[in-house]
Amino acid sequence: MSRLLKLRQEIDRVDQRLVKDLADRFVLTAEVGKYKKKYNMASYDAKREIEMLAKRVEIGKRFGLEKKLVKKFFRFITAIVREEHRKIMKK
């Protein structure tokens, strides 16, 4: 097996873990949305998002990731979460 093929297989395994972790995260964020609805809380918490992004950037730094990449990645995810929370609030 070529080195390139081995590397691609390892990338595939990492991607599988990423997708599973992302799915697990969305299960948890849906629970947060239900909790917020139950207790009449706002679906969006700007302070929490700012704090979360700062923490994720710090974690990214420890692993050699650029701040821009980490912020874009988590802003994308949180935008989807906010939309899902809005749907939960309307139910």
Side-chain angles (χ1 to χ4, degrees):
M1 185 180 312
S2 75
R3 171 108 172 105
L4 179 60
L5 182 57
K6 287 179 184 179
L7 290 169
R8 287 180 174 163
Q9 288 175 338
E10 186 62 26
I11 289 168
D12 290 345
R13 284 190 288 274
V14 170
D15 286 349
Q16 185 172 351
R17 289 192 311 262
L18 278 170
V19 171
K20 182 187 182 314
D21 287 346
L22 187 59
D24 292 345
R25 189 182 197 285
F26 278 106
V27 167
L28 293 168
T29 58
E31 290 301 313
V32 168
K34 292 172 190 173
Y35 181 93
K36 288 179 175 184
K37 179 180 180 173
K38 181 177 180 178
Y39 293 101
N40 294 318
M41 299 171 72
S43 64
Y44 177 64
D45 183 346
K47 182 181 175 198
R48 162 73 179 142
E49 188 168 316
I50 290 167
E51 291 170 354
M52 183 272 301
L53 277 173
K55 288 178 185 176
R56 300 317 179 263
V57 166
E58 283 304 311
I59 292 167
K61 279 184 191 177
R62 288 191 304 232
F63 290 101
L65 295 175
E66 291 184 26
K67 178 180 180 177
K68 183 179 178 179
L69 169 66
V70 175
K71 281 185 144 186
K72 276 186 156 184
F73 179 76
F74 280 99
R75 282 187 176 140
F76 177 74
I77 291 171
T78 55
I80 295 168
V81 169
R82 282 194 306 274
E83 181 59 34
E84 291 302 310
H85 283 187
R86 281 191 285 273
K87 290 177 186 175
I88 290 168
M89 295 295 184
K90 290 179 181 180
K91 288 182 182 178

